[in-house]
Amino acid sequence: MRISVPTEVKNHEYRVAITPVGVNELTRRGHQVFVQAGAGLGSSITDEEYAAQGATILPDAATTWSAGEMVMKVKEPVEPEYGYLRDDLLLFTYLHLAADRALTEALLAAGTTSLAYETVQLPSGMLPLLYPMSEVAGCLAPQVGAHSMMKAAGGRGVLMGAVGGVPNARVVVLGGGVAGQNAANIALGMGANVTILDTDLEKLRMTFWRYDNRIQGIVSTALSVREQVLAADLVISTVLIPGARAPKLVTHDMVAQMKPGSVLVDVAIDQGGCFEDSRPTTHADPTFTVHQSVFYCVANMPGAVPNTSTWALTNATLPYAVQLAEKGWRRACDESQPLALGLNTVGGAVTCSGVSAAFTDLPSTSVRSVLD
């Protein structure tokens, strides 16, 4: 198979979809890998390192996209890239379509087969290709939250903790999954008083034992969310419904009653966000104010630490990329239920139930029907 890796063009996105290790694994199996010139520089990977493992370096985006039967990316295509979509292309990347009607329509119009990292799902419910970036985003959330709480950044002027005689910051994490657990861990290490809310008692029990009861776990209900959010200095949302829009847990009215200068970090913004007032921001302009609270809603948080993120992502995606390259997408998805769940669009129709629920007026079909 011919596999192309273009340069990411999203604002301050420095990750790249494959490392030289990944190139080596694919080329030694007889596949061709095309990498756009400079695609890896943001992650400190040179063209020469790719070429040494058998990649062909191409000069621009148009040439790179057209060379591949499968295009591997990190982030979803943005509008300037829509023209590269075509009906004989397999696109393998993060998509988050339930929060992006324009991209969904572009994929359907082009007839592109798209397979989303974030909806590949194991029988256990684990999302193996989302997991590493959830780890990274979770770890980053308290860091960016702590910075945003500084007075010069528009916050309350509160330190996370560790100063004798002064109350620690109160950090509330909505969601006890991978991102939530990592956010809680870092916030605890920074000295904050941390509370996790989740509807899953097993996750809350795990939090109790993992942190020796140093993090408070509370069952998430409308009332408990409201009480905890109003008392918080920093709220971090991580709630995810695979493939679907994130639930709106914090309303505009609740924000109006929060402490002046409180901070809300929406890790779930890729899927539409958990705060009613959330809207995607960029690393160049990461925050905005609602009432007197600061919102941080950067839609590609892991792009801030590309050296870590790129390697972590390739570790997870490479085995699936090999399956797709070796078997083609139809056979690979027919033989692998996790990969089949990753299919989001095929032949001008939506195949992911979460995306179909978000856009009921768009053409949709079942994965089984396109594989049979």
Side-chain angles (χ1 to χ4, degrees), residues 26-328:
L26 289 165
T27 56
R28 77 178 185 83
R29 292 171 178 268
H31 305 293
Q32 293 177 278
V33 180
F34 302 93
V35 177
Q36 184 178 342
L41 293 179
S43 296
S44 302
I45 303 171
T46 65
D47 293 345
E48 290 74 19
E49 289 176 279
Y50 283 125
Q53 300 306 323
T56 299
I57 307 301
L58 297 179
D60 54 41
T63 307
T64 306
W65 277 81
S66 64
E69 298 167 88
M70 174 168 69
V71 166
M72 292 184 66
K73 292 183 85 276
V74 178
K75 290 302 293 177
E76 71 282 350
V78 295
E79 188 174 357
E81 296 174 302
Y82 291 176
Y84 301 137
L85 301 173
R86 59 183 198 271
D87 61 7
D88 62 346
L89 176 69
L90 171 62
L91 177 63
F92 191 33
T93 186
Y94 288 117
L95 287 171
H96 305 287
L97 293 184
D100 194 339
R101 185 182 181 96
L103 175 57
T104 305
E105 291 179 339
L107 289 165
L108 297 184
T112 300
T113 299
S114 65
L115 209 154
Y117 293 161
E118 74 275 4
T119 60
V120 174
Q121 188 170 17
L122 301 180
S124 65
M126 179 185 173
L127 305 170
L129 307 189
L130 188 61
Y131 195 107
M133 296 303 94
S134 293
E135 289 181 296
V136 173
C139 290
L140 281 172
Q143 296 185 45
V144 299
H147 180 269
S148 298
M149 283 198 298
M150 293 194 297
K151 196 67 176 179
R156 286 175 53 75
V158 174
L159 191 66
M160 289 289 264
V163 176
V166 180
N168 300 331
R170 297 187 63 172
V171 176
V172 172
V173 180
L174 303 178
V178 177
Q181 292 287 337
N182 279 275
N185 183 48
I186 298 300
L188 181 65
M190 296 173 78
N193 292 335
V194 184
T195 299
I196 286 184
L197 288 88
D198 201 288
T199 57
D200 188 334
L201 284 173
E202 286 304 310
K203 289 179 180 177
L204 297 177
R205 291 179 181 124
M206 180 180 71
T207 300
F208 177 91
W209 294 110
R210 180 179 180 183
Y211 298 109
D212 195 26
N213 202 28
R214 291 175 296 153
I215 290 177
Q216 184 177 19
I218 296 177
V219 173
S220 180
T221 65
L223 181 59
S224 64
V225 168
R226 182 180 184 87
E227 289 175 343
Q228 293 299 316
V229 165
L230 296 189
D233 298 300
L234 169 62
V235 179
I236 299 170
S237 72
T238 67
V239 177
L240 172 72
I241 301 172
R245 290 187 69 89
K248 299 297 184 184
L249 302 178
V250 177
T251 67
H252 182 81
D253 174 67
M254 290 163 65
V255 174
Q257 299 176 61
M258 291 178 70
K259 300 174 183 177
S262 56
V263 173
L264 300 95
V265 177
D266 204 340
V267 176
I269 190 63
D270 277 336
Q271 293 291 141
C274 292
F275 309 140
E276 184 179 356
D277 295 296
S278 289
R279 55 177 173 80
T281 61
T282 67
H283 289 292
D285 188 16
T287 63
F288 59 91
T289 301
V290 176
H291 296 299
Q292 298 182 66
S293 294
V294 179
F295 279 63
Y296 181 101
C297 300
V298 174
N300 60 326
M301 287 177 65
V305 285
N307 282 344
T308 297
S309 297
T310 288
W311 288 90
L313 183 59
T314 294
N315 289 342
T317 59
L318 183 59
Y320 294 91
V322 168
Q323 290 183 54
L324 292 167
E326 298 278 88
K327 302 175 182 179

